[in-house]
Coordinates of all heavy atoms in Angstrom, one line a residue:
M1 N 0.9 -1.2 0.0 CA 0.0 0.0 0.0 C 0.9 1.3 0.0 O 1.8 1.3 0.8 CB -0.9 0.0 1.3 CG -1.8 1.2 1.3 SD -2.6 1.3 2.9 CE -3.5 -0.2 2.9
W2 N 0.6 2.2 -0.9 CA 1.4 3.4 -1.0 C 0.6 4.6 -0.5 O -0.6 4.7 -0.8 CB 1.8 3.6 -2.5 CG 2.8 2.6 -2.9 CD1 2.5 1.4 -3.5 CD2 4.2 2.6 -2.7 NE1 3.6 0.7 -3.7 CE2 4.7 1.4 -3.2 CE3 5.1 3.5 -2.1 CZ2 6.0 1.1 -3.2 CZ3 6.4 3.2 -2.1 CH2 6.9 2.0 -2.6
I3 N 1.2 5.4 0.2 CA 0.6 6.6 0.8 C 1.2 7.8 0.1 O 2.4 7.9 0.0 CB 0.9 6.7 2.3 CG1 0.4 5.5 3.0 CG2 0.3 8.0 2.8 CD1 1.3 5.0 4.0
F4 N 0.3 8.6 -0.4 CA 0.8 9.8 -1.1 C 0.7 11.0 -0.2 O -0.2 11.8 -0.3 CB 0.1 10.0 -2.4 CG 0.1 8.7 -3.3 CD1 -1.0 8.0 -3.5 CD2 1.4 8.3 -3.8 CE1 -0.9 6.9 -4.3 CE2 1.4 7.2 -4.5 CZ 0.3 6.5 -4.8
S5 N 1.6 11.0 0.7 CA 1.6 12.1 1.7 C 2.2 13.4 1.2 O 2.8 13.3 0.1 CB 2.3 11.7 3.0 OG 3.7 11.7 2.7
P6 N 1.9 14.5 1.8 CA 2.5 15.8 1.3 C 3.9 15.9 1.6 O 4.4 17.1 1.6 CB 1.6 16.8 1.9 CG 1.2 16.2 3.2 CD 1.1 14.7 2.9
L7 N 4.6 14.9 1.9 CA 6.0 15.0 2.2 C 6.9 15.6 1.1 O 7.8 16.4 1.3 CB 6.6 13.6 2.6 CG 6.2 13.0 3.9 CD1 6.7 11.6 4.1 CD2 6.6 13.9 5.1
M8 N 6.5 15.2 -0.1 CA 7.3 15.7 -1.3 C 6.4 16.3 -2.3 O 5.4 15.6 -2.8 CB 8.1 14.6 -1.9 CG 8.8 15.0 -3.1 SD 9.8 13.7 -3.9 CE 11.4 14.2 -3.3
T9 N 6.6 17.5 -2.7 CA 5.8 18.2 -3.7 C 6.8 18.9 -4.6 O 8.0 18.8 -4.4 CB 4.9 19.2 -3.2 OG1 5.7 20.3 -2.6 CG2 4.0 18.7 -2.1
T10 N 6.3 19.5 -5.7 CA 7.2 20.2 -6.6 C 7.8 21.4 -5.9 O 8.9 21.9 -6.3 CB 6.5 20.7 -7.8 OG1 5.3 21.4 -7.4 CG2 6.1 19.5 -8.7
E11 N 7.2 21.9 -4.8 CA 7.8 23.0 -4.0 C 9.0 22.6 -3.2 O 9.8 23.4 -2.9 CB 6.7 23.6 -3.1 CG 5.7 24.5 -3.9 CD 4.7 23.6 -4.6 OE1 4.3 22.6 -4.0 OE2 4.3 24.0 -5.7
N12 N 9.0 21.3 -2.7 CA 10.1 20.9 -1.9 C 10.9 20.0 -2.8 O 10.9 18.8 -2.5 CB 9.7 20.5 -0.5 CG 9.7 19.1 -0.1 OD1 10.4 18.3 -0.7 ND2 9.0 18.8 0.9
A13 N 11.6 20.5 -3.7 CA 12.4 19.7 -4.6 C 13.5 18.9 -3.9 O 14.0 19.4 -2.9 CB 13.1 20.5 -5.7
P14 N 13.8 17.7 -4.3 CA 14.7 16.9 -3.5 C 16.2 17.3 -3.5 O 16.9 17.2 -4.5 CB 14.6 15.5 -4.2 CG 14.2 15.8 -5.6 CD 13.4 17.1 -5.5
T15 N 16.6 17.8 -2.4 CA 18.0 18.1 -2.2 C 18.6 17.1 -1.2 O 19.7 16.8 -1.2 CB 18.3 19.5 -1.8 OG1 17.5 19.8 -0.6 CG2 18.0 20.5 -2.8
D16 N 17.6 16.6 -0.4 CA 18.0 15.6 0.6 C 17.8 14.2 -0.1 O 17.0 14.0 -1.0 CB 17.0 15.7 1.8 CG 17.1 17.0 2.5 OD1 18.3 17.4 2.8 OD2 16.1 17.6 2.8
P17 N 18.6 13.2 0.4 CA 18.5 11.9 -0.2 C 17.1 11.3 0.0 O 16.4 11.5 1.0 CB 19.5 11.0 0.6 CG 19.8 11.8 1.8 CD 19.5 13.2 1.5
T18 N 16.6 10.6 -1.0 CA 15.3 10.1 -1.0 C 15.3 8.6 -0.5 O 16.1 7.8 -0.9 CB 14.7 10.1 -2.5 OG1 14.7 11.5 -2.9 CG2 13.2 9.6 -2.5
Y19 N 14.3 8.3 0.4 CA 14.2 7.0 1.0 C 12.8 6.5 0.8 O 11.8 7.2 0.7 CB 14.6 7.0 2.5 CG 16.1 7.1 2.7 CD1 16.7 8.4 2.8 CD2 16.8 6.0 2.9 CE1 18.0 8.5 3.0 CE2 18.2 6.1 3.1 CZ 18.8 7.4 3.2 OH 20.1 7.5 3.4
R20 N 12.7 5.1 0.9 CA 11.4 4.5 1.0 C 11.2 4.3 2.5 O 12.0 3.8 3.3 CB 11.5 3.1 0.4 CG 10.2 2.3 0.4 CD 10.4 1.0 -0.4 NE 9.3 0.2 -0.3 CZ 9.2 -1.0 -1.0 NH1 10.2 -1.3 -1.8 NH2 8.2 -1.7 -0.8
L21 N 10.1 4.9 3.0 CA 9.8 4.9 4.4 C 8.6 3.9 4.7 O 7.8 3.7 3.9 CB 9.3 6.3 4.9 CG 10.3 7.4 4.6 CD1 9.6 8.7 4.8 CD2 11.5 7.3 5.4
R22 N 8.7 3.2 5.9 CA 7.7 2.3 6.2 C 7.3 2.4 7.7 O 8.1 2.6 8.5 CB 8.2 0.9 6.0 CG 7.1 -0.2 6.2 CD 7.6 -1.6 5.9 NE 8.0 -1.8 4.5 CZ 9.0 -2.6 4.1 NH1 9.7 -3.3 5.0 NH2 9.4 -2.6 2.9
A23 N 6.0 2.3 7.9 CA 5.4 2.2 9.3 C 5.5 0.8 9.7 O 4.9 -0.1 9.1 CB 4.0 2.8 9.4
A24 N 6.2 0.5 10.8 CA 6.4 -0.9 11.3 C 5.1 -1.7 11.5 O 5.0 -2.9 11.0 CB 7.3 -1.0 12.5
A25 N 4.1 -1.1 12.2 CA 2.9 -1.9 12.5 C 2.0 -2.1 11.4 O 1.6 -3.3 11.2 CB 2.2 -1.1 13.6
S26 N 1.7 -1.2 10.6 CA 0.7 -1.3 9.5 C 1.4 -1.7 8.2 O 0.7 -2.2 7.3 CB 0.0 0.0 9.3 OG 0.8 1.0 8.8
G27 N 2.7 -1.4 8.0 CA 3.3 -1.7 6.7 C 3.0 -0.6 5.7 O 3.4 -0.8 4.5
R28 N 2.4 0.5 6.0 CA 2.1 1.6 5.1 C 3.5 2.2 4.7 O 4.4 2.3 5.6 CB 1.2 2.6 5.7 CG -0.2 2.0 5.9 CD -1.0 2.9 6.8 NE -1.3 4.3 6.2 CZ -2.3 4.6 5.4 NH1 -3.2 3.7 5.1 NH2 -2.4 5.8 5.0
E29 N 3.6 2.7 3.5 CA 4.8 3.2 3.0 C 4.7 4.5 2.3 O 3.6 4.9 1.8 CB 5.4 2.1 2.0 CG 5.8 0.9 2.7 CD 6.5 -0.1 1.7 OE1 6.3 0.1 0.5 OE2 7.2 -1.0 2.2
A30 N 5.8 5.2 2.2 CA 5.9 6.4 1.4 C 7.3 6.6 0.9 O 8.2 5.9 1.4 CB 5.5 7.6 2.3
I31 N 7.4 7.4 -0.1 CA 8.8 7.8 -0.6 C 8.9 9.2 -0.5 O 8.0 10.0 -0.8 CB 8.9 7.4 -2.1 CG1 8.9 5.9 -2.2 CG2 10.2 8.0 -2.7 CD1 9.1 5.3 -3.6
A32 N 10.0 9.6 0.2 CA 10.2 11.1 0.4 C 11.7 11.4 0.7 O 12.5 10.5 1.1 CB 9.4 11.4 1.7
P33 N 12.1 12.6 0.4 CA 13.4 13.0 0.8 C 13.5 13.1 2.4 O 12.6 13.5 3.0 CB 13.6 14.4 0.2 CG 12.2 14.9 0.0 CD 11.3 13.7 -0.2
V34 N 14.6 12.6 2.9 CA 14.7 12.4 4.3 C 15.8 13.3 4.9 O 17.0 13.3 4.3 CB 14.9 11.0 4.8 CG1 15.2 10.8 6.2 CG2 13.7 10.1 4.4
R35 N 15.6 14.1 5.8 CA 16.6 14.9 6.5 C 16.9 14.3 7.8 O 16.0 13.9 8.6 CB 16.0 16.3 6.6 CG 17.1 17.3 7.0 CD 16.6 18.7 6.8 NE 16.3 19.0 5.4 CZ 15.7 20.0 4.9 NH1 15.2 20.9 5.7 NH2 15.5 20.2 3.6
E36 N 18.2 14.2 8.2 CA 18.5 13.6 9.4 C 18.0 14.4 10.6 O 18.0 15.6 10.6 CB 20.1 13.6 9.5 CG 20.6 12.6 10.6 CD 22.1 12.3 10.4 OE1 22.5 12.3 9.3 OE2 22.7 12.1 11.4
G37 N 17.5 13.7 11.6 CA 17.0 14.3 12.8 C 15.5 14.6 12.8 O 15.0 15.1 13.8
V38 N 14.9 14.4 11.6 CA 13.5 14.7 11.5 C 12.7 13.4 11.6 O 13.1 12.4 11.0 CB 13.2 15.4 10.1 CG1 11.7 15.6 9.9 CG2 13.9 16.7 10.0
V39 N 11.6 13.4 12.4 CA 10.7 12.3 12.5 C 9.6 12.4 11.5 O 8.9 13.4 11.4 CB 10.1 12.2 13.9 CG1 9.1 11.0 14.0 CG2 11.2 11.9 14.9
Y40 N 9.4 11.4 10.6 CA 8.4 11.4 9.6 C 7.2 10.6 10.0 O 7.4 9.5 10.6 CB 8.9 10.9 8.2 CG 10.0 11.9 7.7 CD1 11.3 11.7 8.1 CD2 9.6 13.0 6.9 CE1 12.3 12.6 7.6 CE2 10.6 13.8 6.5 CZ 11.9 13.7 6.8 OH 12.8 14.6 6.4
R41 N 6.0 11.1 9.8 CA 4.8 10.3 10.3 C 3.8 10.2 9.1 O 3.7 11.0 8.2 CB 4.1 11.1 11.4 CG 4.9 11.1 12.7 CD 4.1 11.6 13.9 NE 4.9 11.6 15.1 CZ 5.2 10.5 15.8 NH1 4.7 9.3 15.5 NH2 6.0 10.5 16.8
D42 N 3.1 9.0 9.1 CA 2.1 8.8 8.1 C 1.0 9.8 8.2 O 0.5 10.2 9.3 CB 1.5 7.4 8.4 CG 0.5 7.0 7.3 OD1 -0.6 7.6 7.3 OD2 0.8 6.1 6.6
A43 N 0.6 10.4 7.1 CA -0.3 11.5 7.1 C -1.7 11.1 7.6 O -2.4 11.9 8.2 CB -0.5 12.0 5.6
E44 N -2.1 9.8 7.5 CA -3.4 9.4 7.9 C -3.4 8.7 9.3 O -4.3 9.0 10.1 CB -4.0 8.4 6.9 CG -4.4 9.1 5.6 CD -5.0 8.1 4.6 OE1 -5.5 7.0 5.0 OE2 -4.9 8.4 3.4
T45 N -2.4 7.9 9.6 CA -2.4 7.1 10.8 C -1.6 7.8 11.9 O -1.8 7.4 13.1 CB -2.0 5.7 10.7 OG1 -0.6 5.7 10.3 CG2 -2.7 5.0 9.6
G46 N -0.7 8.6 11.6 CA 0.2 9.2 12.5 C 1.4 8.4 13.0 O 2.2 8.8 13.8
E47 N 1.4 7.2 12.4 CA 2.5 6.3 12.8 C 3.9 6.8 12.3 O 3.9 7.5 11.3 CB 2.4 4.9 12.1 CG 1.3 4.0 12.6 CD 1.2 2.8 11.7 OE1 0.6 2.9 10.6 OE2 1.7 1.8 12.1
E48 N 4.9 6.5 13.1 CA 6.2 6.9 12.7 C 6.7 6.1 11.5 O 6.6 4.9 11.5 CB 7.2 6.8 13.9 CG 8.6 7.4 13.5 CD 9.5 7.5 14.8 OE1 8.9 7.5 15.9 OE2 10.7 7.5 14.6
L49 N 7.2 6.8 10.5 CA 7.8 6.1 9.3 C 9.3 6.0 9.5 O 9.9 7.0 9.8 CB 7.4 6.9 8.1 CG 5.9 6.9 7.7 CD1 5.7 8.0 6.7 CD2 5.4 5.6 7.3
E50 N 9.8 4.8 9.2 CA 11.3 4.7 9.3 C 11.8 4.3 7.9 O 11.2 3.6 7.2 CB 11.6 3.5 10.3 CG 11.1 3.8 11.7 CD 11.7 3.0 12.7 OE1 12.4 2.0 12.4 OE2 11.4 3.3 13.9
P51 N 13.0 4.9 7.6 CA 13.6 4.6 6.3 C 14.0 3.1 6.2 O 14.6 2.6 7.2 CB 14.9 5.5 6.3 CG 14.7 6.5 7.4 CD 13.7 5.9 8.4
V52 N 13.6 2.5 5.2 CA 13.9 1.0 5.0 C 14.8 0.8 3.8 O 15.5 -0.2 3.7 CB 12.7 0.2 4.9 CG1 12.0 0.1 6.2 CG2 11.7 0.7 3.8
A53 N 14.8 1.8 2.8 CA 15.7 1.6 1.7 C 16.0 3.0 1.0 O 15.1 3.8 1.0 CB 15.0 0.7 0.6
A54 N 17.2 3.1 0.5 CA 17.5 4.3 -0.3 C 17.0 4.2 -1.7 O 17.1 3.0 -2.3 CB 19.0 4.6 -0.2
V55 N 16.6 5.2 -2.3 CA 16.2 5.2 -3.7 C 17.4 5.4 -4.5 O 18.2 6.3 -4.3 CB 15.1 6.3 -4.0 CG1 14.7 6.3 -5.4 CG2 13.8 5.9 -3.2
L56 N 17.6 4.6 -5.6 CA 18.8 4.8 -6.4 C 18.8 6.1 -7.1 O 17.8 6.6 -7.5 CB 18.8 3.7 -7.5 CG 19.1 2.3 -6.9 CD1 18.9 1.3 -8.1 CD2 20.4 2.2 -6.3
P57 N 20.0 6.7 -7.2 CA 20.1 8.0 -7.9 C 19.7 7.8 -9.4 O 20.0 6.8 -10.0 CB 21.5 8.4 -7.7 CG 22.3 7.2 -7.4 CD 21.3 6.3 -6.7
Q58 N 19.2 8.9 -10.0 CA 18.8 8.8 -11.4 C 19.9 9.2 -12.2 O 20.9 9.8 -11.8 CB 17.6 9.7 -11.6 CG 16.4 9.2 -10.8 CD 15.1 10.0 -11.1 OE1 15.2 11.2 -11.4 NE2 14.0 9.4 -10.9
D59 N 19.8 9.0 -13.6 CA 20.9 9.4 -14.5 C 20.9 10.8 -14.9 O 21.6 11.2 -15.8 CB 20.8 8.5 -15.7 CG 19.4 8.5 -16.4 OD1 18.6 9.4 -16.0 OD2 19.2 7.8 -17.3
G60 N 20.0 11.6 -14.3 CA 19.9 13.1 -14.6 C 19.0 13.4 -15.7 O 18.8 14.5 -16.1
V61 N 18.5 12.4 -16.4 CA 17.5 12.5 -17.5 C 16.1 12.3 -16.9 O 15.9 11.4 -16.2 CB 17.8 11.6 -18.7 CG1 16.7 11.8 -19.8 CG2 19.2 11.8 -19.2
G62 N 15.2 13.2 -17.3 CA 13.8 13.0 -16.8 C 13.6 13.6 -15.5 O 14.4 14.4 -14.9
S63 N 12.4 13.3 -14.9 CA 12.0 13.9 -13.7 C 12.8 13.4 -12.5 O 13.1 12.2 -12.4 CB 10.5 13.6 -13.4 OG 10.1 14.1 -12.1
A64 N 13.0 14.3 -11.5 CA 13.7 14.0 -10.3 C 12.7 13.6 -9.2 O 13.1 13.2 -8.1 CB 14.6 15.1 -9.8
L65 N 11.4 13.8 -9.5 CA 10.3 13.5 -8.5 C 9.8 12.1 -8.5 O 9.8 11.5 -9.6 CB 9.2 14.5 -8.7 CG 9.5 16.0 -8.6 CD1 8.3 16.8 -9.0 CD2 10.0 16.4 -7.2
P66 N 9.4 11.6 -7.4 CA 8.7 10.2 -7.4 C 7.5 10.3 -8.3 O 6.8 11.4 -8.3 CB 8.4 10.0 -5.9 CG 9.2 10.9 -5.2 CD 9.5 12.1 -6.0
R67 N 7.1 9.2 -8.9 CA 6.0 9.2 -9.8 C 4.7 9.0 -9.0 O 4.2 7.9 -8.9 CB 6.2 8.1 -10.9 CG 5.2 8.3 -12.0 CD 5.6 7.4 -13.2 NE 4.7 7.7 -14.3 CZ 4.9 8.7 -15.2 NH1 6.0 9.4 -15.1 NH2 4.0 8.9 -16.2
T68 N 4.3 10.0 -8.3 CA 3.1 10.0 -7.5 C 2.1 11.0 -8.0 O 2.5 11.9 -8.7 CB 3.4 10.3 -6.0 OG1 4.0 11.6 -5.9 CG2 4.4 9.3 -5.4
P69 N 0.8 10.9 -7.7 CA -0.2 11.8 -8.2 C 0.1 13.2 -8.0 O -0.1 14.1 -8.9 CB -1.5 11.3 -7.5 CG -1.3 9.9 -7.2 CD 0.2 9.8 -6.9
V70 N 0.6 13.6 -6.9 CA 0.8 15.1 -6.6 C 2.0 15.6 -7.5 O 2.0 16.8 -7.7 CB 1.2 15.4 -5.1 CG1 0.1 15.0 -4.2 CG2 2.5 14.6 -4.7
N71 N 2.8 14.7 -8.1 CA 3.9 15.2 -8.9 C 3.6 15.1 -10.4 O 4.5 15.3 -11.2 CB 5.2 14.4 -8.6 CG 5.6 14.7 -7.1 OD1 5.5 15.8 -6.6 ND2 6.2 13.7 -6.5
L72 N 2.4 14.8 -10.7 CA 2.1 14.6 -12.2 C 1.0 15.6 -12.6 O 0.2 16.0 -11.8 CB 1.5 13.2 -12.4 CG 2.5 12.0 -12.1 CD1 1.8 10.7 -12.2 CD2 3.7 12.1 -13.0
R73 N 1.0 15.9 -13.9 CA 0.0 16.7 -14.5 C -0.5 16.0 -15.7 O 0.2 15.2 -16.3 CB 0.5 18.1 -14.8 CG 1.6 18.1 -15.9 CD 2.1 19.5 -16.3 NE 3.2 19.4 -17.3 CZ 3.0 19.3 -18.6 NH1 1.8 19.3 -19.1 NH2 4.0 19.2 -19.4
V74 N -1.7 16.4 -16.2 CA -2.2 15.8 -17.4 C -1.8 16.7 -18.6 O -2.1 17.9 -18.6 CB -3.7 15.7 -17.4 CG1 -4.3 15.1 -18.7 CG2 -4.1 14.7 -16.2
C75 N -1.1 16.2 -19.6 CA -0.8 16.9 -20.8 C -2.0 17.3 -21.6 O -2.9 16.5 -21.8 CB 0.2 16.1 -21.7 SG 0.5 16.9 -23.3
R76 N -2.1 18.6 -22.0 CA -3.3 19.0 -22.6 C -3.4 18.5 -24.1 O -4.5 18.6 -24.7 CB -3.4 20.6 -22.5 CG -2.4 21.3 -23.3 CD -2.6 22.8 -23.0 NE -1.6 23.6 -23.8 CZ -0.3 23.8 -23.5 NH1 0.2 23.3 -22.4 NH2 0.4 24.5 -24.3
R77 N -2.3 18.0 -24.6 CA -2.4 17.5 -26.0 C -2.6 16.0 -26.0 O -3.6 15.5 -26.6 CB -1.2 17.8 -26.8 CG -1.2 17.3 -28.2 CD -0.3 18.0 -29.2 NE 1.1 17.7 -28.8 CZ 2.1 18.4 -29.4 NH1 1.9 19.4 -30.2 NH2 3.4 18.1 -29.0
C78 N -1.7 15.2 -25.4 CA -1.8 13.8 -25.5 C -2.6 13.2 -24.3 O -2.9 12.0 -24.3 CB -0.4 13.2 -25.6 SG 0.6 13.3 -24.1
E79 N -2.9 14.0 -23.2 CA -3.6 13.6 -22.1 C -3.0 12.5 -21.3 O -3.6 11.7 -20.6 CB -5.1 13.2 -22.5 CG -5.8 14.3 -23.1 CD -7.3 14.0 -23.4 OE1 -7.6 12.8 -23.4 OE2 -8.1 14.9 -23.6
Q80 N -1.6 12.3 -21.4 CA -0.9 11.4 -20.6 C -0.4 12.1 -19.3 O -0.3 13.3 -19.2 CB 0.4 10.9 -21.3 CG 0.1 10.1 -22.5 CD -0.6 8.8 -22.2 OE1 -0.2 8.0 -21.4 NE2 -1.8 8.6 -22.9
L81 N -0.2 11.3 -18.3 CA 0.3 11.9 -17.0 C 1.8 12.1 -17.1 O 2.6 11.1 -17.4 CB 0.0 11.0 -15.8 CG -1.4 10.9 -15.5 CD1 -1.7 9.7 -14.4 CD2 -1.9 12.2 -14.9
T82 N 2.3 13.3 -16.9 CA 3.7 13.6 -17.1 C 4.2 14.4 -15.9 O 3.4 15.1 -15.3 CB 3.9 14.4 -18.5 OG1 5.3 14.5 -18.8 CG2 3.3 15.8 -18.4
P83 N 5.5 14.3 -15.5 CA 6.0 14.9 -14.3 C 5.9 16.4 -14.3 O 6.1 17.1 -15.4 CB 7.4 14.5 -14.2 CG 7.5 13.2 -15.1 CD 6.5 13.4 -16.2
R84 N 5.5 17.0 -13.2 CA 5.4 18.5 -13.1 C 6.7 19.2 -13.2 O 6.7 20.4 -13.5 CB 4.7 18.8 -11.8 CG 3.3 18.5 -11.7 CD 2.7 19.0 -10.4 NE 1.3 18.6 -10.2 CZ 0.3 19.2 -10.8 NH1 0.4 20.2 -11.6 NH2 -1.0 18.7 -10.7
D85 N 7.8 18.6 -12.9 CA 9.1 19.3 -12.9 C 9.8 19.3 -14.3 O 10.9 19.9 -14.4 CB 10.0 18.8 -11.8 CG 10.5 17.3 -12.1 OD1 9.7 16.6 -12.8 OD2 11.5 17.0 -11.5
L86 N 9.1 18.7 -15.3 CA 9.7 18.8 -16.6 C 9.1 19.9 -17.4 O 7.9 20.2 -17.3 CB 9.4 17.5 -17.4 CG 10.1 16.2 -16.8 CD1 9.8 15.0 -17.7 CD2 11.6 16.4 -16.5
A87 N 9.9 20.6 -18.2 CA 9.4 21.8 -19.0 C 8.5 21.3 -20.1 O 7.7 22.1 -20.6 CB 10.6 22.5 -19.5
T88 N 8.7 20.1 -20.6 CA 7.9 19.6 -21.7 C 7.3 18.2 -21.3 O 7.8 17.5 -20.4 CB 8.7 19.4 -23.0 OG1 9.7 18.5 -22.7 CG2 9.3 20.7 -23.5
C89 N 6.2 17.8 -22.0 CA 5.5 16.5 -21.8 C 6.6 15.5 -22.1 O 7.2 15.5 -23.2 CB 4.3 16.4 -22.7 SG 3.6 14.8 -22.7
E90 N 6.7 14.4 -21.3 CA 7.7 13.4 -21.6 C 7.2 12.4 -22.7 O 8.0 11.6 -23.2 CB 8.1 12.6 -20.3 CG 7.0 11.7 -19.8 CD 7.4 11.0 -18.5 OE1 8.6 11.0 -18.1 OE2 6.5 10.3 -17.9
F91 N 6.0 12.6 -23.1 CA 5.4 11.7 -24.2 C 5.4 12.4 -25.5 O 5.9 11.8 -26.5 CB 4.1 11.2 -23.8 CG 4.1 10.3 -22.6 CD1 3.7 10.9 -21.3 CD2 4.4 9.0 -22.6 CE1 3.8 10.1 -20.2 CE2 4.4 8.2 -21.5 CZ 4.1 8.8 -20.3
C92 N 4.9 13.6 -25.6 CA 4.7 14.3 -26.9 C 5.6 15.5 -27.0 O 5.6 16.1 -28.1 CB 3.3 14.6 -27.1 SG 2.6 16.0 -26.1
G93 N 6.2 16.0 -25.9 CA 7.1 17.1 -26.0 C 6.5 18.5 -26.0 O 7.1 19.5 -26.1
L94 N 5.2 18.5 -25.8 CA 4.5 19.8 -25.7 C 4.9 20.5 -24.4 O 4.9 20.0 -23.3 CB 2.9 19.6 -25.6 CG 2.1 20.8 -25.6 CD1 2.1 21.4 -27.0 CD2 0.7 20.5 -25.2
P95 N 5.3 21.8 -24.6 CA 5.7 22.6 -23.4 C 4.6 22.7 -22.3 O 3.4 22.7 -22.7 CB 6.0 24.0 -24.0 CG 6.4 23.7 -25.4 CD 5.5 22.6 -25.8
A96 N 5.0 22.8 -21.0 CA 4.0 22.7 -20.0 C 3.1 24.0 -19.9 O 1.9 23.9 -19.7 CB 4.8 22.6 -18.6
A97 N 3.7 25.1 -20.2 CA 2.9 26.4 -20.2 C 2.3 26.7 -21.5 O 1.3 26.4 -22.0 CB 3.8 27.6 -19.8
Ligands
ZN101 ZN1 1.8 15.2 -24.1

């Protein structure tokens, strides 16, 4: 089960390393940039989320954001879901604005 918490949005671009976080009791998960010394909690249950795996760095091509609903927009030409942090649609190349 994936939780799309407001931990990461286009406003808080990832400068911190990104981790897969998990709540021990329920197994609910999220992907978010993690800063040392900060306690992360599930947006719905309030359980503490603990880092369980680091997300591999990307090759610098394409979106730096996790592919979650808050980070996607619908392209007005091809109607595909494309990352918000890219200047053009990743499918048809139409500029975002
Ligand atoms: Zn498109």
Side-chain angles (χ1 to χ4, degrees):
M1 178 188 305
W2 292 91
I3 302 140
F4 305 114
S5 73
L7 289 173
M8 175 182 257
T9 66
T10 49
E11 285 75 39
N12 109 19
T15 51
D16 298 314
T18 302
Y19 285 88
R20 180 174 175 177
L21 306 167
R22 184 180 299 148
S26 67
R28 292 168 62 91
E29 296 184 338
I31 291 180
V34 171
R35 191 165 297 169
E36 196 165 328
V38 176
V39 174
Y40 295 89
R41 294 194 179 277
D42 184 291
E44 290 182 24
T45 66
E47 289 176 277
E48 185 169 337
L49 296 165
E50 300 195 352
V52 291
V55 174
L56 291 173
Q58 297 182 332
D59 57 7
V61 177
S63 175
L65 300 172
R67 197 167 184 88
T68 60
V70 295
N71 294 329
L72 298 172
R73 65 178 176 84
V74 177
C75 174
R76 64 185 187 279
R77 179 160 66 193
C78 69
E79 299 186 344
Q80 296 296 309
L81 291 171
T82 192
R84 289 186 184 279
D85 65 336
L86 297 182
T88 59
C89 171
E90 69 180 354
F91 298 96
C92 72
L94 185 73

